[in-house]
Amino acid sequence: MTLKVGAHVSISGSKVSSDPETPPHGNLADAVFRQTQFGGNCGQIFTHSPQVWQDPDVGDEEATQFREGTARDLDGPWVIHTSYLVNLCTPKAGLREKSLDSMQKEVDAAHQLDIPYVNVHLGAHTGAGVEGGLDNAASVIDDIDVPDDVTILIESDAGSGTKLGGDFEHLAAVIDRTTTEIDVCIDTAHAFAAGYDLSSADAVDEAVAEFDDVVGLDHLQCIHLNDSKHECGTNKDEHAHIGEGYIGDEGMERIVNHPALADVPFVLETPTEDGRGFAWNIERVRELRHD
């Protein structure tokens, strides 16, 4: 089994040099360079600021540099994370249309960049109810023209308020209701906050078995590997350094070595604080791995 571990890296900055021997200076192609600097071999990006409605703006040369750099320097895969404004579960027609348009542009960008996955939160039902929200999410997904080489991943949530995705059953329900082939990304901090204990080897084994029973491990294509600053079941989403939160070393060690998870790409969204960032956390994952 090959350890695939990397970080969510920024693409902000100026344009990349056309000289492949010159380190890039901060656009989409720079994500490859930054990933190698952190010691990662796969990863995740936003194609634009996640706080606004904005279309990906990827030029042909930039896309070529990204694809060539990835093939040359990384094992892959990359994941595109959609805007935080996207809400698949919304009952509001205007927000649904904006979310659908944004999703369409993200899957098209993924196709352009040879990125196999687009990751999205289900969002909040805001009064439509759980069943109504799940129906809405499936409806939006089925209205997207997804390229054959791209798969939408629905991400697990911490489960606060009317947000859906905190229960494995929510993920399974959307898979069952959509005619589109979709898969899942589990965020360990979110799952922990939603009440799935991951703080011991036995707890991880139980959670993995439950996921397999409810959703199916064949649908798990990515893991956002994050520790949690808050206790299990608090519904509070705040990430901690690997092994430094309430999941801790034992839980993290079992996650990265569990035979059903060990070959799944691990993408870190850990904080940069206390003098430690992605490089420290990626190295910590490698230390916990038994290969």
Side-chain angles (χ1 to χ4, degrees):
M1 293 176 289
T2 300
L3 175 60
K4 299 174 185 176
V5 60
H8 182 118
V9 296
S10 172
I11 66 166
S12 63
S14 59
K15 290 298 181 183
V16 69
S17 167
S18 60
D19 179 1
E21 298 302 319
T22 302
H25 302 288
N27 73 343
L28 189 60
D30 189 29
V32 179
F33 177 73
R34 290 181 179 178
Q35 196 65 252
T36 61
Q37 295 302 105
F38 292 136
N41 58 13
C42 64
Q44 180 174 270
I45 57 170
F46 293 121
T47 60
H48 56 81
S49 170
Q51 308 289 353
V52 297
W53 294 112
Q54 182 179 337
D55 294 343
D57 181 19
V58 184
D60 291 340
E61 180 180 0
E62 188 178 4
T64 297
Q65 289 175 327
F66 178 88
R67 293 192 302 264
E68 291 178 349
T70 295
R72 181 183 65 241
D73 297 332
L74 302 177
D75 296 327
W78 283 105
V79 179
I80 289 177
H81 195 301
T82 61
S83 168
Y84 293 140
L85 300 181
V86 169
N87 186 346
L88 304 184
C89 296
T90 182
K92 300 176 182 178
L95 181 54
R96 181 192 190 277
E97 287 307 308
K98 285 184 176 180
S99 298
L100 173 58
D101 180 67
S102 180
M103 286 292 297
Q104 185 63 60
K105 289 181 169 63
E106 296 287 20
V107 298
D108 290 343
H111 173 70
Q112 180 185 13
L113 295 166
D114 285 347
I115 292 178
Y117 302 118
V118 172
N119 182 74
V120 63
H121 297 272
L122 291 177
H125 68 69
T126 61
V130 172
E131 296 303 314
L134 296 172
D135 285 341
N136 292 341
S139 172
V140 174
I141 291 170
D142 279 342
D143 281 349
I144 303 168
D145 182 12
V146 184
D148 290 341
D149 58 349
V150 177
T151 301
I152 292 172
L153 305 182
I154 52 176
E155 181 180 343
S156 64
D157 195 85
S160 61
T162 65
K163 290 181 179 179
L164 299 181
D167 295 342
F168 292 161
E169 285 80 5
H170 296 168
L171 306 175
V174 177
I175 292 171
D176 289 343
R177 295 175 196 209
T178 181
T179 60
T180 306
E181 294 294 327
I182 63 173
D183 286 316
V184 170
C185 171
I186 289 294
D187 185 307
T188 54
H190 294 176
F192 188 72
Y196 296 96
D197 188 13
L198 300 171
S199 62
S200 69
D202 287 344
V204 170
D205 290 349
E206 290 178 11
V208 171
E210 182 172 355
F211 178 87
D212 191 29
D213 183 58
V214 175
V215 181
L217 283 164
D218 56 317
H219 284 293
L220 182 61
Q221 301 299 330
C222 181
I223 294 173
H224 284 172
L225 190 67
N226 303 299
D227 212 323
S228 174
K229 290 187 177 182
H230 301 281
E231 294 182 9
C232 184
T234 59
N235 303 121
K236 294 181 178 180
D237 176 17
E238 193 173 5
H239 299 176
H241 293 305
I242 300 299
E244 300 280 310
Y246 281 95
I247 295 177
D249 277 346
E250 182 181 346
M252 283 291 166
E253 182 176 15
R254 182 55 179 165
I255 291 168
V256 301
N257 290 286
H258 191 290
L261 310 180
D263 202 36
V264 178
F266 297 107
V267 175
L268 278 62
E269 301 168 323
T270 46
T272 298
E273 60 187 16
D274 305 323
R276 292 173 288 183
F278 286 136
W280 185 92
N281 282 280
I282 288 173
E283 180 58 28
R284 187 72 189 109
V285 173
R286 295 190 186 282
E287 290 171 355
L288 291 172
R289 182 75 165 214
H290 295 163
D291 290 354

